[in-house]
Amino acid sequence: MQSPSLGTGFYGSYGGRYVSETLIHALDELTEAASCIAATPAFQKELSDLLATYVGRPTPLTDAARLARAIDPERKTLGRLFLKREDLCHTGAHKINNALGQILLATKMRKSRIIAETGAGQHGVATATACALFGLPCEIYMGEEDVARQAPNVGRMRLLGAKVIPVTSGSRTLKDAMNEALRDWVTNVSTTHYCIGSAAGPHPYPELVARFQSVIGEEARAQILERTGHLPDAVIACVGGGSNAIGIFRGFISSPSVKLYGVEAAGHGVPSGKHAATLGAGRVGVLHGSKSYVLCDDGGQIQEAHSISAGLDYPGVGPEHAFLKDSGRAKYLAATDDEALAAASLVTRTEGILPALETSHPFAKIGVVATEVSKSLDRPATLILCLSGRGDKDLETLLRRLL
Ligand SMILES: *Cc1c(COP(=O)(O)O)cnc(C)c1O
């Protein structure tokens, strides 16, 4: 965490608190706790000890030389490629950084019950893990459709002692689970902390989550400087709600020489309408309490997102990314399901690392980014990719589609 103040909750005209009045007090209380408790040296020390001894931080920065040569054999555009290894975090992805931070904060706020929403189950597993560690009861809202599709993660959450509540409203997926969780929070706000899983939702969540994930960028910046003596030319990450991307971006955003690239899911291709490219093809709207880009129809109804990777399958995106897109500080690309699958196969065979399908999307765009960045430099580019998670959870899809 940097400055104690959590800011205004606005990134340009994006963000804010588009929620019912009953939630304002809870959001104020959380904002207050985040600035008065989470920013203290004592809290920071407790959290960084947990990140070191429980999560396994700092995660390594891996030099992916064989993959770089496979992508650009002549070394004209891609000089070096480094991977920030969030796949090596306990539970296999970056989500635990935020879940642990929020649950630790909730214990300081004397909350006795935790709720969360989950789509694929990754954030549900991370939250259930943190709750097991602190001995707190945990209830996870999950669309009925996702409960059926993501059976192994449902089992994991139950083993961890969490109660999984199937949501039967709407399309019975992530957005409906988040609506139900917000509804629960309104009713039980005095005892309950709502642990949101990405850099989205009403203020202060986008800022709180970005700060808990900024450990990724802080480590990566120190590691690349130590290894190469220079900042990278570009940083690239996948964007679902946007938390791993904003986490790594925060380490480099104040250095204009470092270009920032987010990669969304183009699903079957943006023209097909079956995609999750919210920044690339969405419009400005309000979803889950904040103003950002959303996927919606002409009448303003939120549309279903589609992606082969469950973690990118969200029709909204965190408000800071909307601001970074409009201001031009970051660029957003999209990779299709097929491009992501091909990239997963290439990474696994060249580096011996099985990436999550989410992370396979930025892997698919390394060549494009290296070409664009090296053109303005007149030399091959050095890139860092945020390897947000491991692909074991996607084994069934990978086997079905690749073998
Ligand atoms: C959930 C998830 C994502 C997408 O979430 P962000 O908030 O956009 O980071 C990306 N990668 C993995 C491995 C995930 O589990």
Side-chain angles (χ1 to χ4, degrees):
M1 295 242 169
Q2 304 89 1
S3 81
S5 157
L6 281 207
T8 59
F10 282 96
Y11 307 90
S13 62
Y14 300 108
R17 274 183 186 171
Y18 296 81
V19 294
S20 69
E21 231 170 278
T22 41
L23 273 187
I24 296 294
H25 173 70
L27 293 167
D28 278 341
E29 186 190 48
L30 180 60
T31 309
E32 168 90 7
S35 32
C36 297
I37 304 169
T40 61
F43 183 93
Q44 291 293 301
K45 166 105 177 53
E46 201 173 340
L47 182 56
S48 60
D49 284 351
L50 272 173
L51 291 174
T53 62
Y54 187 73
V55 175
R57 305 206 72 90
T59 58
L61 190 70
T62 300
D63 188 344
R66 292 198 71 235
L67 176 61
R69 294 294 71 83
I71 292 170
D72 178 22
E74 288 162 28
R75 315 182 70 147
K76 282 203 174 120
T77 61
L78 182 58
R80 297 181 80 180
L81 172 64
F82 291 92
L83 311 177
K84 181 60 176 157
R85 300 291 304 279
E86 294 304 294
D87 59 316
L88 296 178
C89 290
H90 177 47
T91 68
H94 67 288
K95 288 203 173 72
I96 190 78
N97 302 326
N98 167 55
L100 263 189
Q102 284 198 46
I103 304 308
L104 183 63
L105 183 59
T107 64
K108 308 294 178 199
M109 294 170 74
R110 303 188 188 288
K111 300 290 178 184
S112 57
R113 174 177 176 261
I114 304 295
I115 57 169
E117 84 295 336
T118 198
Q122 296 302 109
H123 174 57
V125 169
T127 305
T129 299
C131 287
L133 183 66
F134 284 95
L136 283 172
C138 171
E139 293 179 30
I140 311 279
Y141 287 92
M142 188 171 190
E144 200 176 44
E145 193 73 28
D146 291 330
V147 170
R149 285 192 292 195
Q150 311 289 340
N153 273 341
V154 174
R156 238 166 251 150
M157 287 183 263
R158 290 191 173 137
L159 280 174
L160 288 159
K163 183 173 168 202
V164 178
I165 304 171
V167 173
T168 53
S169 56
S171 55
R172 294 173 291 151
T173 57
L174 175 60
K175 76 170 168 54
D176 313 290
M178 200 153 169
N179 288 333
E180 281 310 314
L182 281 164
R183 220 161 279 158
D184 178 318
W185 203 33
V186 169
T187 328
N188 301 299
V189 58
S190 58
T191 58
T192 300
H193 174 68
Y194 175 20
C195 182
I196 290 188
S198 193
H203 177 61
Y205 283 103
E207 189 60 29
L208 187 65
V209 176
R211 291 189 183 193
F212 284 137
Q213 292 295 1
S214 67
V215 66
I216 304 173
E218 284 161 20
E219 286 177 9
R221 185 182 178 100
Q223 287 167 323
I224 193 94
L225 285 172
E226 193 194 308
R227 292 275 278 287
T228 69
H230 299 283
L231 288 173
D233 300 308
V235 169
I236 174 168
C238 62
V239 178
S243 69
N244 86 94
I246 209 69
I248 195 159
F249 286 2
R250 286 269 170 119
F252 302 95
I253 209 161
S254 60
S255 303
S257 71
V258 183
K259 306 283 180 268
L260 308 174
Y261 286 89
V263 182
E264 298 186 297
H268 294 179
V270 171
S272 74
K274 288 188 164 281
H275 62 82
T278 312
L279 290 162
R283 352 176 174 198
V284 174
V286 169
L287 178 63
H288 298 137
S290 89
K291 187 171 165 190
S292 184
Y293 282 75
V294 297
L295 294 179
C296 64
D297 63 20
D298 291 338
Q301 287 301 305
I302 299 300
Q303 287 178 318
E304 273 292 281
H306 169 88
S307 169
I308 193 168
S309 76
L312 302 185
D313 206 346
Y314 179 57
V317 65
E320 193 171 358
H321 287 292
F323 174 68
L324 291 174
K325 172 192 155 81
D326 286 8
S327 70
R329 179 64 187 93
K331 275 197 183 176
Y332 296 88
L333 314 171
T336 63
D337 290 353
D338 288 343
E339 289 174 319
L341 281 164
S345 172
L346 180 69
V347 175
T348 309
R349 284 163 183 251
T350 54
E351 294 293 338
I353 297 169
L354 180 62
L357 278 172
E358 290 82 3
T359 323
S360 302
H361 289 72
F363 271 121
K365 293 292 148 180
I366 287 175
V368 173
V369 169
T371 303
E372 187 169 302
V373 173
S374 65
K375 206 173 281 170
S376 64
L377 294 170
D378 234 13
R379 59 168 171 77
T382 296
L383 308 186
I384 300 181
L385 180 143
C386 185
L387 211 174
S388 57
R390 61 173 140 94
D392 304 53
K393 67 181 178 59
D394 301 313
L395 208 54
E396 204 185 295
T397 308
L398 290 165
L399 292 176
R400 186 159 31 85
R401 298 287 300 265
L402 288 175
L403 288 187

